[in-house]
């Protein structure tokens, strides 16, 4: 569902651009709003959410999909934790649909899906691992890398129940906003994938804004 936001970026407490292939790790307090903007269009932002005060509680795809009875996320969707608690609600969305099933690219999946020579290519899991290593103050480990959301990514479900990676449905300036119900850690990998259409074969920056 398309829903515009009334938030003014000029009044935000934080504005940051995540370069193509880079990561962003930030604590968001309960009641704050996070916006992720697809600056140039056709980019995927692979995102993990954790309870900032107890990282054993984190975003759960199964609880979220069961709660909303829809495999795609958009305005009004409530992101639920593995304790089946609301973590964030999508309060505005100008893209219209976000993927919950496609997962994140890794060196292993690059090898299986594409070619042995693709193994060395940078992947979202590598970005998350780097974030964990460079920010021990958050208490995350490699075991905390679990379910993620692929904001702006287009992964249609076929009539036979399969998944396909398709050209993006986003465009320059499209955004998604989320209101936090609890204190959350947000870990974004601005996807570096070059082997499927999720980034239009050309990864580009995304912006994050916090009110």
């Amino acid at each position: 569902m398309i829903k515009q936001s009334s938030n003014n970026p000029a009044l935000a407490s934080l504005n940051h651009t995540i370069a193509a292939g880079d990561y962003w790790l930030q604590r968001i307090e309960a009641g704050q709003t996070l916006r992720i903007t697809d600056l140039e269009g056709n980019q995927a932002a692979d995102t993990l959410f954790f309870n900032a005060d107890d990282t054993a509680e984190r975003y759960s795809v199964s609880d979220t999909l069961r709660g909303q009875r829809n495999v795609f996320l958009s305005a009004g969707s409530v992101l639920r934790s593995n304790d089946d608690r609301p973590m964030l609600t999508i309060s505005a969305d100008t893209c219209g649909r976000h993927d919950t099933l496609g997962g994140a690219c890794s060196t292993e999946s690059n090898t299986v899906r594409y070619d042995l020579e693709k193994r060395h290519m940078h992947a979202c899991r590598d970005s998350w691992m780097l974030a964990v290593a460079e920010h021990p103050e958050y208490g995350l480990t490699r075991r905390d890398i679990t379910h993620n959301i692929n904001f702006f990514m287009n992964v249609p479900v076929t009539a036979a129940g399969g998944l396909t990676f398709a050209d993006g449905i986003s465009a320059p300036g499209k955004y998604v906003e989320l209101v936090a119900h609890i204190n959350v850690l947000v870990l974004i990998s601005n996807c570096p994938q070059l082997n499927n259409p999720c980034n239009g074969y050309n990864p580009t920056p995304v912006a994050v804004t916090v009110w």
Side-chain angles (χ1 to χ4, degrees):
M1 180 176 70
I2 301 296
K3 183 178 179 182
Q4 299 282 342
S5 169
S6 60
N7 288 320
N8 182 352
L11 301 178
S13 60
L14 183 150
N15 285 286
H16 178 75
T17 298
I18 310 173
D22 204 354
Y23 73 82
W24 184 74
L25 176 58
Q26 180 74 31
R27 179 184 172 108
I28 304 295
E29 304 297 329
Q32 289 188 312
T33 296
L34 167 69
R35 176 187 290 185
I36 307 171
T37 303
D38 187 359
L39 292 175
E40 298 184 29
N42 219 19
Q43 177 63 17
D46 293 34
T47 307
L48 299 166
F49 295 102
F50 305 89
N51 179 339
D53 302 312
D54 178 9
T55 55
E57 183 179 15
R58 73 282 306 273
Y59 165 75
S60 166
V61 63
S62 55
D63 290 288
T64 298
L65 300 195
R66 182 174 62 249
Q68 69 164 8
R69 299 176 182 269
N70 194 323
V71 298
F72 299 113
L73 303 176
S74 190
S77 295
V78 178
L79 311 188
R80 308 189 73 85
S81 75
N82 54 332
D83 289 338
D84 201 23
R85 291 203 304 160
M87 297 184 72
L88 307 101
T89 293
I90 299 180
S91 54
D93 180 21
T94 60
C95 178
R97 191 175 77 191
H98 306 273
D99 169 63
T100 60
L101 302 177
C105 57
S106 66
T107 54
E108 293 80 7
S109 66
N110 283 340
T111 300
V112 171
R113 290 172 177 166
Y114 309 114
D115 191 278
L116 182 61
E117 295 180 356
K118 306 295 185 183
R119 179 178 176 84
H120 71 282
M121 283 188 164
H122 187 52
C124 284
R125 185 173 176 86
D126 293 337
S127 294
W128 290 333
M129 293 290 287
L130 184 62
V132 167
E134 292 185 340
H135 294 280
E137 67 271 21
Y138 291 115
L140 297 172
T141 72
R142 62 189 301 170
R143 296 183 66 181
D144 294 308
I145 298 174
T146 56
H147 303 157
N148 72 285
I149 298 169
N150 296 311
F151 288 111
F152 310 115
M153 189 169 169
N154 186 21
V155 184
V157 179
T158 69
L163 301 177
T164 57
F165 293 99
D167 195 29
I169 58 174
S170 186
K174 298 288 188 180
Y175 60 81
V176 57
E177 280 187 6
L178 305 101
V179 176
H181 300 300
I182 62 173
N183 301 329
V184 295
L185 287 180
V186 183
L187 177 52
I188 297 175
S189 168
N190 190 19
C191 185
Q193 183 57 255
L194 294 166
N195 301 293
N196 70 50
C198 70
N199 295 330
Y201 306 104
N202 177 39
T204 54
V206 300
V208 286
T209 311
V210 177
W211 291 268

